[in-house]
Amino acid sequence: MQLGAFSISLAVKDLAASRAFYQKFGFEAFAGDGEHYQMMKNGDTVIGLFQGMFEDNILTFNPGWDQQCNTVDGFTDVRELQKQLKAQGIDFATEADESGSGPASFVVVDPDGNPILVDQHVG
């Protein structure tokens, strides 16, 4: 099962303060609107800072992307990942439309209550 790029999406209270904090650890902003969310990178490590967009921190996987957010060939589509997980008895909080194509996402929650977002941005 190939899940693609991994990042942690952090629910933050003050985007500017969080961005400044993570910059001290060597993270640099590389995407986002800078007002509501900011994607930051240190080498291959990616974090997303999200203010007012969700309540919990989220483990995020992006099928079709590498750690630099470049599209990769031969990735496993989000709908196929969903089918594989369903076959193993995983319950879904939200689901991708299995009849669709291109960008889609689903959310599952692990046994400890941690949300996992599988968010495909490419087709």
Side-chain angles (χ1 to χ4, degrees):
M1 184 173 295
Q2 302 228 356
L3 298 174
F6 172 76
S7 63
I8 183 88
S9 299
L10 301 175
V12 302
K13 295 175 185 158
D14 182 329
L15 182 62
S18 294
R19 181 176 42 239
F21 177 83
Y22 284 103
Q23 285 172 331
K24 293 174 183 174
F25 284 85
F27 282 88
E28 296 179 2
F30 74 95
D33 66 11
E35 293 180 31
H36 303 99
Y37 76 101
Q38 189 76 69
M39 299 302 297
M40 301 187 76
K41 178 170 29 172
N42 180 334
D44 285 339
T45 304
V46 177
I47 58 174
L49 308 175
F50 295 85
Q51 182 178 325
M53 296 179 78
F54 46 81
E55 292 183 24
D56 297 315
N57 297 332
I58 301 172
L59 302 169
T60 304
F61 296 96
N62 301 110
W65 274 359
D66 65 16
Q67 283 303 111
Q68 282 68 45
C69 300
N70 296 314
T71 302
V72 297
D73 293 326
F75 66 92
T76 305
D77 186 83
V78 67
R79 285 156 285 272
E80 178 58 31
L81 295 170
Q82 181 173 285
K83 287 179 191 175
Q84 290 176 22
L85 292 168
K86 278 185 176 183
Q88 296 181 71
I90 298 292
D91 292 323
F92 287 75
T94 66
E95 296 185 27
D97 177 0
E98 290 183 2
S99 67
S101 63
S105 65
F106 65 77
V107 175
V108 299
V109 179
D110 79 8
D112 296 301
N114 299 301
I116 301 169
L117 169 65
V118 179
D119 191 15
Q120 180 177 307
H121 296 278
V122 298

